[in-house]
Amino acid sequence: MQTPRLRPSNIGSVHRLLLQWTRCKSSAATAAALSSREPRAGTTTPAPEDAAPRNSPSPFYFEAGYALFAKRPSRPFPPPFLSLPSGSFSDPLSTHNRSRDRRPAVNGEMIRGVTNGDDAVLVSDHFIGANDGVGAWAAREKGHAALWSRLILHFWAIEAEKHAYGGSDPDPVAYLQRAYEQTVEATSKPNDWQGTTTASGALISTDAQEPPHPLLYVTQLGDSQIMVLRPRDREIIYKTTEQWHWFDCPRQLGTNSPDTPTLNAVMDRVEIEENDIVLAMSDGVVDNLWEHEVLQNVVDSMHKWESGEAQVEKRKIPSTAEKTDADGMSYVARELVKAARTIAEDPFAESPYMEKAIDEGLSIEGGKLDDISVVAAQCKQRSV
């Protein structure tokens, strides 16, 4: 069976030196080209306007925001996921009308979430996720990791909604398995688009106690990460463990990969409290920042936001509009992306990625320039 990616430790010494030289040269050039770009950020990811999602019976929900920075632009989605523009005014009117809607769609429904390079994130009241598509597929004619990462999140969120988020007993691994199967079907012939992606998601629910307490159902496959922080105590109360086949080759769902959610995904149930912060992050964060740096950055950002010191980007909303908790989470996510990007673009910085490479016998310095995706969500309780 083909392995998902080439194992760097099997490369000869000459090739290792060439790999290192090429990586440093490419990283420096790319960093210079990206230096003027700011992260994209928001508080909700798109969902169909006519969708009628089933609300979770849990009284707890997420106030969430996200921030994104791509190392390179995303590959455009292909047909039938995105309609081609009309060739001329003589084209059939139905084709012209379809070409007006540039939002990607599958099975006649808009694809939920947001693409970031090869990554994808999704934000809703009860479910958040961050998937990291394997960028090596960009070298294949029919490779499209961004499509795979986005579709799996889309179908995953729909499965969670379909089951009303499972009530008091969700099964997010089963939801992910079904999402994986639907993605395989959507990208098979006659479409035939190849790719692989990691998957990480967090679904909020409640226990059966009185009064109820929030529970977090965390699902992980690969090296993206879910982390739960308690700002009040300045501590990390939970984080997922990375899953690897070997160095720089995480477990992943998709073409040529032996991994499946049923066999390889790990699900944990985590007891949390109101105001705890849940982070869903691609490896663009965890390869460049150690966990204590993530914690410190989030705590500092929360303090700046709550004290009014935060320098918030201008938004197209009235100046009198009240800032929400979701706006605060978007600010937290944006600051974390900026911190990770600083290390990613520094060829001389010390980073977790460099440390892992050295453990594998590779002479690599600096951060890892990669797509950086963050969803920050705060647990809240609805007012009765």
Side-chain angles (χ1 to χ4, degrees), residues 11-183:
I11 302 173
S13 57
V14 174
H15 288 151
R16 286 188 183 184
L17 292 175
L18 180 61
L19 175 66
Q20 180 186 0
W21 176 84
T22 303
R23 178 178 176 271
C24 291
K25 182 178 179 181
S26 174
S27 296
T30 307
L34 297 178
S35 59
S36 61
R37 290 174 51 193
E38 287 296 318
R40 292 184 294 148
T43 56
T44 58
T45 53
E49 295 178 0
D50 58 349
R54 300 182 186 178
N55 291 324
S56 168
S58 171
F60 300 97
Y61 71 103
F62 287 135
E63 287 282 358
Y66 67 90
L68 313 168
F69 180 80
K71 65 179 179 183
R72 61 171 179 264
S74 301
R75 194 170 191 176
F77 276 20
F81 307 102
L82 193 66
S83 60
L84 292 174
S86 299
S88 71
F89 288 110
S90 64
D91 283 351
L93 183 61
S94 60
T95 302
H96 175 71
N97 284 342
R98 285 201 304 269
S99 71
R100 287 182 173 182
D101 191 349
R102 303 299 294 163
R103 297 174 300 181
V106 62
N107 299 335
E109 183 176 2
M110 183 184 74
I111 302 177
R112 304 183 186 202
V114 173
T115 301
N116 178 44
D118 294 308
D119 293 356
V121 301
L122 187 141
V123 177
S124 70
D125 285 355
H126 299 94
F127 178 76
I128 62 172
N131 289 0
D132 182 2
V134 177
W137 287 103
R140 300 281 188 95
E141 180 182 358
K142 300 293 289 185
H144 209 308
L147 179 64
W148 271 81
S149 61
R150 181 85 170 269
L151 283 177
I152 283 183
L153 264 184
H154 165 80
F155 289 123
W156 199 2
I158 288 179
E159 286 298 310
E161 280 185 4
K162 187 187 302 181
H163 293 86
Y165 301 96
S168 60
D169 190 22
D171 191 354
V173 173
Y175 307 156
L176 180 57
Q177 177 65 35
R178 180 59 183 146
Y180 167 63
E181 293 167 357
Q182 291 175 296
T183 302

Side-chain angles (χ1 to χ4, degrees), residues 167-215:
S168 60
D169 190 22
D171 191 354
V173 173
Y175 307 156
L176 180 57
Q177 177 65 35
R178 180 59 183 146
Y180 167 63
E181 293 167 357
Q182 291 175 296
T183 302
V184 170
E185 182 179 356
T187 55
S188 298
K189 292 181 179 181
N191 298 324
D192 192 24
W193 289 100
Q194 304 168 351
T196 49
T197 180
T198 66
S200 61
L203 186 155
I204 195 167
S205 186
T206 187
D207 60 19
Q209 299 182 36
E210 191 60 44
H213 297 84
L215 288 177

